[in-house]
Amino acid sequence: SQQGEEDPQALSIQEGENATMNCSYKTSINNLQWYRQNSGRGLVHLILIRSNEREKHSGRLRVTLDTSKKSSSLLITASRAADTASYFCVRTDKLIFGTGTRLQVFP
Amino acid sequence: EAGVAQSPRYKIIEKRQSVAFWCNPISGHATLYWYQQILGQGPKLLIQFQNNGVVDDSQLPKDRFSAERLKGVDSTLKIQPAKLEDSAVYLCASSLGQGNQPQHFGDGTRLSIL
């Protein structure tokens, strides 16, 4: 399967804590995007990381990419209750989404 | 800018019936996507249009699903006849172009098959 696998499947933390989720593929990956999906809504684009980038920041988001390990991670710092959502990675060449990580941030 | 519009928001039908979903992408977006998202899973690409041409429909069950993009703008996705396993959220997205362009998603149509 070319589907990405995300780890953990679910994560519960308190406001102010950091949340880290990982995405891995069985086949080689180039560029990768991360999306957020609030319950009952469509996905929202967060960040694109290209194959020649190892790390990228956007506000409280930090994304890393390790092409040799075929994996990427998303770190959300100082989490807020509004960050409660599912997070997905997707390969931009084949538009194959991962299984998602459900993040719950408690006030 | 206005987002991607989808209708209806919810639809309940019986198996073997037909159903159609409509999508209006963001103005100027050449690429349009239809995804199927089963509960607890990530979206699965069904079909991708570039203007009014099909780029990828390899995962579209063509015996029952069909899609068209009228004049390279609006799009409809049809299921005929529906099966129980088609119960899912159908998401439409659009982007300026292919590849690394961010996709903008509508809120989807939740389809329930009885």
Side-chain angles (χ1 to χ4, degrees), chain A residues 33 35 37 40-41 50 92, chain B residues 9 37 42 100 103 105-107:
Chain A
Q33 294 179 343
Y35 285 82
Q37 185 177 32
R41 304 297 301 274
R50 299 177 187 273
T92 60
Chain B
R9 191 77 171 88
Q37 186 175 26
N100 296 324
Q103 295 181 47
F105 283 78
D107 286 336

Side-chain angles (χ1 to χ4, degrees), chain A residues 41-64:
Chain A
R41 304 297 301 274
L43 285 75
V44 174
H45 181 261
L46 296 176
I47 198 165
L48 161 72
I49 186 163
R50 299 177 187 273
S51 58
N52 60 350
E53 297 174 314
R54 290 296 170 261
E55 186 171 311
K56 198 165 182 179
H57 297 254
S58 177
R60 293 183 297 111
L61 305 181
R62 172 179 165 249
V63 170
T64 63

Side-chain angles (χ1 to χ4, degrees), chain A residues 8-13 18-21 76 79-87 100-106:
Chain A
Q9 290 190 340
L11 180 61
S12 295
I13 59 174
N18 296 340
T20 299
M21 51 205 86
I76 303 173
S79 63
R80 305 167 181 168
D83 295 328
T84 294
S86 291
Y87 292 82
T101 292
R102 294 184 304 280
L103 174 66
Q104 176 81 50
V105 181
F106 292 98

Side-chain angles (χ1 to χ4, degrees), chain A residues 62-98:
Chain A
R62 172 179 165 249
V63 170
T64 63
L65 178 64
D66 188 333
T67 54
S68 65
K69 293 183 178 179
K70 304 172 191 174
S71 67
S72 175
S73 68
L74 170 66
L75 168 67
I76 303 173
T77 60
S79 63
R80 305 167 181 168
D83 295 328
T84 294
S86 291
Y87 292 82
F88 296 92
C89 63
V90 59
R91 296 174 48 162
T92 60
D93 57 341
K94 295 191 179 295
L95 295 179
I96 299 173
F97 279 83

Side-chain angles (χ1 to χ4, degrees), chain B residues 64-113:
Chain B
R64 298 185 300 107
F65 286 64
S66 64
E68 60 179 1
R69 189 175 184 194
L70 306 174
K71 299 181 181 178
V73 182
D74 291 5
S75 178
T76 56
L77 176 69
K78 297 179 182 178
I79 307 175
Q80 180 179 9
K83 291 185 176 181
L84 292 175
E85 62 257 35
D86 298 332
S87 292
V89 175
Y90 291 84
L91 294 164
C92 178
S94 69
S95 62
L96 280 170
Q98 300 179 63
N100 296 324
Q101 293 290 333
Q103 295 181 47
H104 300 259
F105 283 78
D107 286 336
T109 296
R110 182 175 297 276
L111 175 65
S112 297
I113 312 294

Side-chain angles (χ1 to χ4, degrees), chain B residues 36-68:
Chain B
Q36 179 193 60
Q37 186 175 26
I38 293 172
L39 187 65
Q41 298 182 17
K44 177 181 125 180
L45 179 68
L46 293 176
I47 190 167
Q48 177 184 348
F49 292 95
Q50 179 69 17
N51 296 309
N52 60 354
V54 175
V55 174
D56 183 358
D57 63 356
S58 58
Q59 297 196 90
L60 186 74
K62 298 180 185 64
D63 58 334
R64 298 185 300 107
F65 286 64
S66 64
E68 60 179 1

Side-chain angles (χ1 to χ4, degrees), chain B residues 19-39:
Chain B
V19 65
F21 313 124
W22 174 81
C23 173
N24 180 234
I26 292 174
S27 177
H29 280 194
T31 311
L32 185 145
Y33 316 78
W34 282 103
Y35 291 89
Q36 179 193 60
Q37 186 175 26
I38 293 172
L39 187 65

